[in-house]
């Protein structure tokens, strides 16, 4: 419980630092409400106080309902995709440098210190055996390109996606129930540079820390879009696509995670047969080519590049310490 409260406070303070004007507006709103209640009490007595409180509650309820409806608005309604890809403005894999008003930052590969902090936050949130810190850090060092972490310019972490690369034959054993996922990680996980040619990409952990705050539904929607944009951009920059494309898989642990998987174009195909995720839906999109991910990238880059500085470095851009860790 205390860890969840700590995350709530961290996110709330980060939101307040990013938007200090909200503090003034909220303070003025509360002051106005108090003065209105006092005036109503003098003029109308208890009935006036009750009426003021009721109006305030109804207004807050309407705002919450409208935000909830906006959160679940279909992506196509929020920002239609260009009908013809040739008509869209050409998009770069790496967005230009920040213009000074961007609230978010994604760098791929992420620094090792950020990876440690990501693992710590995931442990605090899940509070179960689902997170093995040693295993996760080994996976990061074997392939640092696989971690997509959403931060603000001050280094606060808002969410992340990490993915694993597998050979098709190993992953097929997992789908058929012959392997639990832990066995698959131990025997089939590909490291860099072999991971760049893998035929199976598995979206492993998808976590948006804003889920802890109901008041941040609209911001959570933007953060999800940025994470999807950054992830497909990283895959496009670093992955070598075979002629028949790649297969992208994941497990939908809850409704929020399943909603993000559908933003990647994944659909439920079967259920997990063994292990901790037994009975959960496996989401999949087979035969994914570059043009498929380019369409997703174009859709979300158009909406969110003004909000996020995306720095996806090419394979040759590794720093020496990371290169040594990967054996590249």
């Amino acid at each position: 419980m205390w860890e969840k409260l700590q995350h709530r406070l961290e996110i709330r303070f980060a939101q307040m630092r990013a938007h200090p004007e909200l503090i003034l507006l909220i303070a003025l709103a509360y002051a106005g409400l108090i003065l209105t209640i006092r005036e109503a009490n003098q003029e109308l007595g208890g009935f006036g106080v009750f009426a003021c409180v009721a109006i305030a509650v109804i207004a807050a309820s309407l705002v919450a309902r409208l935000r909830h409806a906006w959160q679940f608005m279909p992506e196509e309604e929020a920002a239609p995709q260009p009908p013809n890809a040739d008509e869209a403005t050409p998009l770069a894999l790496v967005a230009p440098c920040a213009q000074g008003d961007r609230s978010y930052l994604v760098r791929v590969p992420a620094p090792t210190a950020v990876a440690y902090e990501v693992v710590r936050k995931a442990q605090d949130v899940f509070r179960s055996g689902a997170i093995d810190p040693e295993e996760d850090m080994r996976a990061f060092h074997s392939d640092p390109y696989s971690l997509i972490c959403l931060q603000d310019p001050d280094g606060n972490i808002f969410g992340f996606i990490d993915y694993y690369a597998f050979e098709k034959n190993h992953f097929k054993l997992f789908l058929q129930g012959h392997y639990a996922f832990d066995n698959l990680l131990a025997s089939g996980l590909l490291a860099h540079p072999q991971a760049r040619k893998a035929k199976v990409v598995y979206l492993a952990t998808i976590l948006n820390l804003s889920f802890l705050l109901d008041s941040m539904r609209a911001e959570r929607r933007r953060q999800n879009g940025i994470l999807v944009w950054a992830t497909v951009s990283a895959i496009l920059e670093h992955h070598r696509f075979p002629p028949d494309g790649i297969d992208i898989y994941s497990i939908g642990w809850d409704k929020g995670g399943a909603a993000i998987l559908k933003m990647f174009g994944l659909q439920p195909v079967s259920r997990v047969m063994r292990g901790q995720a037994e009975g959960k839906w496996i989401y999949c999109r087979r035969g994914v080519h570059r043009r498929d991910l380019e369409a997703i990238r174009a859709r979300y880059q158009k909406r969110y590049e003004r909000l996020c500085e995306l720095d996806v470095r090419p394979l040759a851009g590794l720093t020496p310490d990371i290169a040594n860790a990967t054996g590249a």
Side-chain angles (χ1 to χ4, degrees):
M1 184 182 75
W2 294 112
E3 290 82 3
K4 188 172 183 179
L5 177 60
Q6 180 183 1
H7 284 307
R8 286 178 179 269
L9 291 175
E10 288 178 359
I11 296 171
R12 181 62 73 196
F13 288 146
Q15 185 186 31
M16 292 168 66
R17 284 195 297 270
H19 303 283
E21 69 278 3
L22 291 178
I23 302 174
L24 177 62
L25 291 176
I26 293 172
L28 291 174
Y30 276 111
L33 179 61
I34 292 172
L35 291 175
T36 302
I37 291 176
R38 289 181 58 185
E39 186 70 21
N41 185 39
Q42 293 176 358
E43 297 292 335
L44 302 173
F47 175 77
V49 175
F50 175 78
C52 288
V53 173
I55 292 172
V57 170
I58 292 171
S61 177
L62 286 174
V63 170
R65 285 178 177 274
L66 288 172
R67 294 180 67 176
H68 185 72
W70 172 254
Q71 179 194 10
F72 289 100
M73 179 184 293
E75 295 290 339
E76 291 74 13
E77 294 181 19
Q81 191 177 357
N84 188 338
D86 295 334
E87 297 174 7
T89 303
L91 299 169
L93 276 174
V94 181
C97 295
Q99 302 296 321
D101 59 348
R102 288 177 174 164
S103 305
Y104 297 108
L105 169 68
V106 176
R107 286 200 176 104
V108 183
T112 302
V114 172
Y116 276 113
E117 184 65 12
V118 162
V119 172
R120 186 190 71 80
K121 286 185 177 293
Q123 276 187 295
D124 291 342
V125 170
F126 292 112
R127 304 299 296 173
S128 70
I131 301 298
D132 183 337
E134 293 185 3
E135 181 181 86
D136 286 350
M137 288 308 301
R138 278 197 301 270
F140 170 77
H141 285 301
S142 70
D143 185 10
Y145 297 101
S146 63
L147 176 62
I148 315 298
C149 182
L150 179 65
Q151 300 175 273
D152 66 10
D154 294 327
N156 298 296
I157 295 174
F158 289 91
F160 67 91
I161 294 177
D162 64 347
Y163 65 89
Y164 299 142
F166 297 104
E167 284 294 345
K168 214 165 190 175
N169 290 337
H170 278 104
F171 200 80
K172 187 176 180 181
L173 294 174
F174 166 69
L175 295 176
Q176 294 173 343
H178 301 302
Y179 274 2
F181 192 76
D182 290 343
N183 304 127
L184 179 65
L185 278 179
S187 61
L189 181 63
L190 296 178
H192 176 77
Q194 289 78 16
R196 306 283 73 81
K197 299 178 288 184
K199 292 188 176 181
V200 173
V201 169
Y202 176 82
L203 303 176
T205 306
I206 301 176
L207 179 61
N208 186 334
L209 293 171
S210 296
F211 85 92
L212 297 166
L213 294 175
D214 290 338
S215 60
M216 291 185 66
R217 288 195 181 106
E219 195 66 22
R220 179 165 65 240
R221 187 172 180 271
R222 286 190 286 270
Q223 291 167 358
N224 289 344
I226 292 171
L227 282 170
V228 172
W229 166 43
T231 302
V232 297
S233 296
I235 295 173
L236 283 167
E237 173 70 13
H238 300 142
H239 212 80
R240 300 175 186 173
F241 287 74
D244 55 347
I246 62 174
D247 297 341
I248 302 179
Y249 286 88
S250 190
I251 295 175
W253 285 86
D254 55 27
K255 291 182 178 179
I260 298 178
L261 295 180
K262 290 180 180 178
M263 295 167 72
F264 285 98
L266 275 62
Q267 297 296 330
V269 293
S270 61
R271 293 187 183 271
V272 179
M273 297 183 182
R274 295 179 59 184
Q276 191 174 15
E278 183 176 354
K280 298 291 184 181
W281 278 104
I282 297 174
Y283 283 70
C284 173
R285 184 176 180 182
R286 298 186 179 94
V288 178
H289 294 83
R290 290 190 64 88
R291 62 179 178 272
D292 301 315
L293 295 188
E294 285 169 353
I296 297 174
R297 184 190 67 197
R299 182 185 311 160
Y300 292 105
Q301 180 171 332
K302 181 179 179 181
R303 300 179 203 176
Y304 299 120
E305 64 179 342
R306 63 185 177 83
L307 301 176
C308 177
E309 178 190 357
L310 176 59
D311 180 11
V312 180
R313 302 179 185 181
L315 296 179
L318 273 178
T319 56
D321 58 326
I322 294 180
N324 291 335
T326 61

